[in-house]
DNA sequence: GTTTACCCTTAATCTAGTTTAAGAAATCAG
DNA sequence: CTGATTTCTTAAACTAGATTAAGGGTAAAC
């Protein structure tokens, strides 16, 4: 009855039954396997994806082939390469499921159709992008807090539910350190705390 | 005659004479001295500022008192703590003029007034935020490109005009290295190139 | 339900970047 | 124009974090 997507978007500004129908008709459900990628670097990001269940990572690969996690998204969060989606230029990033997941996807053309037929979505998605902007800016700030240990503690604080759920390799990649060094940090914290 | 602000915003979507008037009435010109701060950490960011002339930096201060530049903004660019502006929560960041500057400022309440009276500004500012999002995401990606030298070369590429204009201390703070190490990098590049 | 692939930890060695210091060069305000 | 402040460079000693390697543990998949 209550569609997860209308429930989520309606929490910003209430939506009429009509508006909900327009929305639901353009959101396609999709099951994603663990390790499956829903965006490959080189492709244009064609969808905004809303996570109903599971967990994803947005990551880039550097010149030397190392992966770097930029962002995680779990239940009730959105994931997309916002840059590629809006410019329709190839993405430099990948989006991969870290767990078996279930998502709703809205295609770029459909979102722009919805923008004109449900004008309040313009406002809602402006707010969503603002929130994502704040998230990524906090990430830049967090990277400043000098030591890797400080950054790890900040990560624990910010994602208490994800820290038990994600493998250390993924957390290390997010923090910009090696898994080995994350092990060292954990040991040091244990010895003291 | 052609106001810098309407010229800039009109380049996204043309504005009527009436819309221009509404806009210009709510944009206050301001002269800013070198070193003067237009946002202090702890304050709420009350303005979007459009740079007509001069140059600004957005920066945070870490636990140990070190400053870290997140973003620069020169002519025809906007600067604000988007997070603080939209949530109306205290900012963790500062905005400081790196040169004697001239700007137009729009207050938060005025921008929201304009959103309702000039609806297309909703769309224009959504695009502006998208562009800022892409800029900061590229910054996160750039920080991945392994060595500090690579990051410096990427910086030169991305801001060819700013690299001659900014002191090395500011560039080093943006790259996340010490000015001393930036000197070393420059020397190494010279010895080879 | 077991085999295979992934994941975590520890430790030794190594390196990119920091710190400290100090003199030379450039820039700014009066 | 000039003194004062900021900025740039060099170099030596130091440290946070990477790399490599290797053994044991855990969870996924057939």
């Amino acid at each position: 009855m209550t569609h997860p997507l209308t429930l989520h978007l309606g929490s910003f500004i209430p939506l009429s039954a009509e508006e909900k129908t327009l929305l639901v008709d353009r959101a396609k459900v999709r099951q994603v396997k663990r390790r499956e990628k829903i965006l490959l670097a080189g492709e244009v990001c064609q969808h905004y994806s809303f996570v109903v269940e599971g967990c994803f990572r947005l990551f880039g690969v550097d010149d030397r082939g190392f992966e770097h996690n930029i962002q995680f998204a779990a239940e009730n969060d959105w994931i997309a390469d916002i840059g590629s989606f809006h410019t329709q230029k190839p993405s430099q990033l990948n989006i991969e499921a870290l767990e078996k997941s279930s998502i709703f996807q809205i295609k770029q053309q459909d979102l722009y159709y919805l923008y004109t037929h449900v004008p309040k979505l313009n406002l809602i998605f402006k707010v969503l992008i603002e929130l994502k902007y704040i998230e990524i800016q906090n990430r830049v700030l967090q990277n400043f807090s000098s030591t890797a240990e400080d950054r790890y503690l900040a990560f624990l604080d910010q994602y208490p539910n994800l820290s038990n759920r994600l493998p250390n390799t993924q957390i290390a990649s997010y923090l910009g350190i090696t898994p080995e060094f994350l092990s060292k940090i954990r040991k040091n914290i244990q010895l003291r705390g």
Side-chain angles (χ1 to χ4, degrees), chain A:
Chain A
M1 199 71 264
T2 40
H3 191 286
L5 202 51
T6 58
L7 192 66
H8 172 74
L9 292 177
S11 74
F12 291 93
I13 306 175
L15 298 167
S16 71
E18 216 177 333
E19 290 170 331
K20 286 181 185 174
T21 308
L22 276 166
L23 190 61
V24 167
D25 283 353
R26 273 160 191 84
K28 308 292 178 207
V29 72
R30 180 172 166 189
Q31 305 305 324
V32 187
K33 278 188 241 161
R34 196 175 113 94
R35 295 287 154 87
E36 188 178 340
K37 293 197 179 75
I38 62 171
L39 173 68
L40 281 169
E43 293 176 358
V44 171
C45 180
Q46 299 288 8
H47 300 92
Y48 257 65
S49 301
F50 178 75
V51 182
V52 176
E53 200 176 351
C55 188
F56 290 81
R57 67 180 178 127
L58 175 72
F59 70 99
V61 181
D62 71 22
D63 316 322
R64 297 187 301 168
F66 292 110
E67 299 181 354
H68 302 275
N69 291 339
I70 294 183
Q71 211 170 88
F72 298 114
E75 284 79 12
N76 285 311
D77 201 357
W78 291 89
I79 190 119
D81 177 351
I82 294 179
S84 169
F85 184 90
H86 289 286
T87 61
Q88 289 287 295
K89 286 182 190 154
S91 175
Q92 298 179 258
L93 305 176
N94 306 269
I95 299 176
E96 185 189 74
L98 292 168
E99 303 171 357
K100 195 177 159 190
S101 302
S102 170
I103 61 179
F104 282 103
Q105 293 194 300
I106 303 179
K107 264 206 286 232
Q108 206 255 3
Q109 303 97 302
D110 285 336
L111 186 61
Y112 280 82
Y113 172 90
L114 287 168
Y115 279 162
T116 56
H117 290 78
V118 187
K120 73 178 63 150
L121 285 178
N122 257 303
L123 190 59
I124 294 174
F125 274 84
K126 182 161 74 64
V127 172
L128 283 174
I129 294 172
E130 279 161 17
L131 292 175
K132 283 286 177 190
Y133 186 91
I134 293 166
E135 190 182 325
I136 201 167
Q137 185 175 276
N138 279 338
R139 179 131 167 57
V140 172
L141 279 173
Q142 195 191 108
N143 267 23
F144 287 155
S145 38
S146 30
T147 66
E149 183 171 325
D150 286 350
R151 274 179 277 148
Y152 176 62
L153 293 173
F155 170 83
L156 286 182
D157 230 45
Q158 210 180 338
Y159 300 95
N161 37 338
L162 285 188
S163 70
N164 288 326
R165 209 167 145 182
L166 299 175
N168 275 11
T169 45
Q170 297 302 333
I171 297 173
S173 164
Y174 178 88
L175 295 174
I177 58 174
T178 57
E180 289 84 358
F181 193 58
L182 179 52
S183 253
K184 219 180 203 170
I185 288 172
R186 286 196 155 165
K187 195 179 158 199
N188 286 341
I189 290 173
Q190 227 168 7
L191 288 176
R192 292 195 314 257

